[in-house]
DNA sequence: ATAAAACCTATCAAAAAAGTCGGAATTAAA
DNA sequence: TTTAATTCCGACTTTTTTGATAGGTTTTAT
């Protein structure tokens, strides 16, 4: 029931993006350098965020990424679901009929479904903007989330 | 952000236990047979539940397992945390100072901590008794959760 | 004694996650 | 119109976690 590094890295990246996009699209290289993450690996995560239309890209020189919507319209839940897959306690609760022999007779299905909804609400109640606000409060968004020593400067 | 089969199997086992313990300690063999799970594998899960003092055991012939407390005093959260590890979005939110270079300067720490608390509340708001009540409503607790075809009857 | 059970630990296999790599497509600018 | 900066794609490898098995040891009612 933990989030993987995909979420940690991906979230770091999108926060970095939100903070640095004022001067135009932010190249992945810069994000990777600032956050001390593997650019190659970030590529996959950012690709997923783009396909989910949370961010957009500009190709070619001076290209990079930017948010597809203002940060207050991007929920934490939306980001995490992209990076981590559906937030679901057990698989069957987000499946349709298949994979469950008799949905109506499965006493546990509704139970999980309720749980899933509530957990998602917890995540959806927060937005990227909340994170950006907190991040601005500090000099650097390195630290707990990244593995860097955060001592640049 | 999914639960593993540890949770599914372990939960099945403890529900089975809650339902069948009236006639004395329930041997693992019976649970494994009823739920169509590997007895060897269940051993590990049940061992963890015992060490966490959610269930207790009687050794020797006619031995088996029984709940350490009434089912309404065993929260879903407690069970899941035993089987799955702490319900935590990122590792640092349940660690002490170590692993986090500067807790006070880590802008994201409090954020995750709040999230963790809320997610745990969702799980802790449900008890084993809720599950048992639902299960009694049906003939068998096989079905979605187990991989058996649930056609024994 | 015997046998039924919990209990323990090592090992293995399979799956998922994490990370790397080489190159193709795009495009601004020299 | 070449160059170089960038996104984009997909195959691959490595590492970690999960799921599962197996053999042996206690414990204890009968």
């Amino acid at each position: 029931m933990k989030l993987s590094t995909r979420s940690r890295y991906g979230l770091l990246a999108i926060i970095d993006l939100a903070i640095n996009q004022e001067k135009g699209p932010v190249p992945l290289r810069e994000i990777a350098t600032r956050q001390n993450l593997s650019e190659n690996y970030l590529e996959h995560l950012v690709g997923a965020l783009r396909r989910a239309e949370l961010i957009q890209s500009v190709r070619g020189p001076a290209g990079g990424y930017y948010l597809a919507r203002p940060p207050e319209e991007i929920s934490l839940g939306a980001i995490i679901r992209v990076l981590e897959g559906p937030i679901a306690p057990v698989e069957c609760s987000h499946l349709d009929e298949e994979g469950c022999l008799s949905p109506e007779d499965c006493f546990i299905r509704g139970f999980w479904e309720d749980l899933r909804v509530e957990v998602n609400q917890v995540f959806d109640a927060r937005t990227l903007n909340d994170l950006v606000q907190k991040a601005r409060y500090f000099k650097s968004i390195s630290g707990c989330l990244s593995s860097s020593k955060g001592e640049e400067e």
Side-chain angles (χ1 to χ4, degrees), chain A:
Chain A
M1 203 62 193
K2 247 181 285 198
L3 296 180
S4 66
T5 63
R6 283 176 67 87
S7 297
R8 308 221 303 282
Y9 294 177
L11 202 54
L12 260 193
I14 202 171
I15 293 170
D16 185 293
L17 200 57
I19 290 175
N20 296 107
Q21 69 176 356
E22 289 165 15
K23 316 151 212 156
V26 185
L28 202 52
R29 172 75 49 87
E30 286 184 19
I31 299 178
T33 303
R34 261 194 300 267
Q35 304 306 324
N36 197 27
L37 301 172
S38 151
E39 183 183 347
N40 279 326
Y41 188 39
L42 263 191
E43 244 179 49
H44 294 298
L45 311 184
V46 161
L49 292 170
R50 181 183 53 81
R51 283 186 293 274
E53 299 183 355
L54 298 184
I55 65 180
Q56 290 187 327
S57 64
V58 177
R59 301 181 71 164
Y65 296 91
Y66 57 97
L67 298 182
R69 288 176 266 152
E72 60 272 20
E73 290 178 21
I74 300 179
S75 75
L76 178 65
I79 299 169
I80 299 298
R81 281 188 293 271
V82 167
L83 295 168
E84 205 80 11
I87 300 172
V90 299
E91 285 191 27
C92 92
S93 71
H94 71 274
L95 289 178
D96 287 322
E97 316 308 303
E98 10 181 5
C100 190
L101 31 96
S102 174
E104 304 207 344
D105 289 350
C106 175
F107 78 95
I108 212 131
R109 191 188 170 89
F111 184 87
W112 285 126
E113 180 60 20
D114 293 347
L115 195 76
R116 189 182 67 77
V117 168
E118 288 186 34
V119 171
N120 271 283
Q121 281 170 353
V122 173
F123 281 80
D124 289 337
R126 289 152 170 89
T127 74
L128 179 54
N129 197 45
D130 300 332
L131 283 161
V132 169
Q133 294 305 319
K134 286 181 188 289
R136 284 199 206 279
Y137 212 72
F138 297 92
K139 345 178 232 297
S140 145
I141 69 170
S142 299
C144 285
L145 269 191
S146 89
S147 52
S148 85
K149 280 296 153 201
E151 298 289 32
E152 84 269 328
E153 160 268 352

